[in-house]
Amino acid sequence: MNKGERIAKVMARAGLCSRREAEAWIKEGRVRVDGKVLSSPAFCVQGQQRITVDSKSIPQIKPTQVWLYYKPRGLITTHKDERGRPTIFQSLPPDLPRVISVGRLDINSEGLLLLTNDGELARSLELPSTAWVRRYRVRIHGKVKVSELEKLQHGITIEGIHYGSIIATLDRQQGDNAWLTASLKEGKNRELRRVFEFLGWPVNRLIRTNYGPFQLGDLTPGKIKPVSPRILRDQLPKKINR
């Protein structure tokens, strides 16, 4: 017997919000199914049941889309900032549907950010089990010791927090600054900044160039470009053919 899909998953796939946000909205009493207020995110939706949030029907589930976006420095990766700082979503083209970011880049970081209209896909691509490599170009202040870089591939613990393997190479030393290429699979908040600062090399520029199979390419700050359906089918066959 088909038990349907969990309400939070349906809302996320409709591009309305992330699954976590959907669960919070349900607890706040904002979500109804066929007119009845939901009290638990464990509810499963079947057939053509009508779902509303704040008395408005949720959007129909549309085909999964993904965009490559060059996040500029100075923007927050959130839909609303309590301190009133500008967000990436305020800078996106007005004709773009509601999208969710796959992970985040901090306010001073730039480069490749994946955006999608499918909240469930965004969640799955963020999971450590995806094991996608994130690659960055990093400019640091200081004289780099290659031997210190090589140690990072075994992980490092700083103030009780363990950071996993980082593959880092020296591209070039320019006076008191150096450019590095750094790759990791599971990035904690501000991981590269904290690790390199611990080594005595504060980061003064950080650009993400790759997220799994997707590359920044020739995108410039603030620009966005859609990923073709064919590439999505090739790269995400199990995740978009649900």
Side-chain angles (χ1 to χ4, degrees):
M1 180 179 177
N2 182 14
K3 296 182 179 181
E5 282 191 304
R6 288 226 176 181
I7 180 71
K9 183 175 181 179
V10 173
M11 291 169 62
R13 288 190 62 194
L16 189 66
C17 55
S18 68
R19 188 190 288 192
R20 184 176 299 175
E21 288 173 320
E23 292 172 350
W25 293 356
I26 291 167
K27 291 178 182 178
E28 293 167 3
R30 298 171 57 187
V31 182
R32 296 172 181 257
V33 175
D34 291 341
K36 296 182 179 180
V37 177
L38 289 189
S39 59
S40 170
F43 184 88
C44 290
V45 181
Q46 297 187 35
Q48 299 299 314
Q49 289 182 297
R50 184 170 180 260
I51 305 167
T52 59
V53 177
D54 298 333
S55 300
K56 296 180 180 179
S57 297
I58 70 168
Q60 290 186 339
I61 295 177
K62 297 180 180 179
T64 294
Q65 292 178 275
V66 175
W67 291 263
L68 308 181
Y69 172 64
Y70 191 134
K71 176 201 169 296
R73 296 174 70 176
L75 298 183
I76 301 292
T77 311
T78 184
H79 279 276
K80 186 177 181 180
D81 181 61
E82 294 178 353
R83 295 163 57 183
R85 293 172 295 181
T87 74
I88 66 166
F89 300 101
Q90 294 169 339
S91 72
L92 296 176
D95 59 343
L96 203 68
R98 188 187 190 281
V99 292
I100 297 167
S101 66
V102 178
R104 298 188 177 195
L105 286 173
D106 67 54
I107 189 170
N108 292 317
S109 298
E110 60 187 288
L112 181 61
L113 193 64
L114 300 185
L115 304 174
T116 178
N117 63 339
D118 187 333
E120 185 65 14
L121 175 65
R123 176 180 177 275
S124 68
L125 295 184
E126 294 171 354
L127 295 175
S129 58
T130 304
W132 273 2
V133 172
R134 286 84 150 163
R135 184 170 293 113
Y136 301 80
R137 292 198 68 226
V138 188
R139 189 177 66 195
I140 59 92
H141 181 75
K143 301 289 186 179
V144 173
K145 295 180 181 179
V146 174
S147 59
E148 292 295 308
L149 290 181
E150 293 174 345
K151 293 178 182 177
L152 294 179
Q153 63 185 303
H154 304 296
I156 187 173
T157 299
I158 303 172
E159 297 180 349
I161 300 176
H162 182 72
Y163 298 98
S165 175
I166 298 173
I167 306 300
T169 57
L170 173 63
D171 296 331
R172 64 182 183 274
Q173 182 81 47
Q174 293 180 309
D176 291 331
N177 290 310
W179 278 102
L180 312 174
T181 295
S183 301
L184 47 81
K185 288 186 177 179
E186 182 186 355
K188 293 183 173 69
N189 183 36
R190 298 177 63 83
E191 177 168 337
L192 292 177
R193 294 183 183 277
R194 288 172 175 163
V195 168
F196 290 130
E197 185 168 358
F198 177 77
L199 295 176
W201 310 325
V203 172
N204 49 44
R205 193 172 182 189
L206 191 149
I207 309 167
R208 183 156 66 193
T209 60
N210 298 66
Y211 194 103
F214 300 104
Q215 301 179 13
L216 187 62
D218 58 1
L219 276 182
T220 54
K223 297 300 182 181
I224 186 170
K225 125 176 131 172
V227 177
S228 73
R230 179 184 62 79
I231 292 177
L232 283 184
R233 287 193 298 270
D234 289 344
Q235 301 295 343
L236 310 172
K238 295 181 180 179
K239 298 185 184 301
I240 67 172
N241 295 321
R242 297 186 293 263

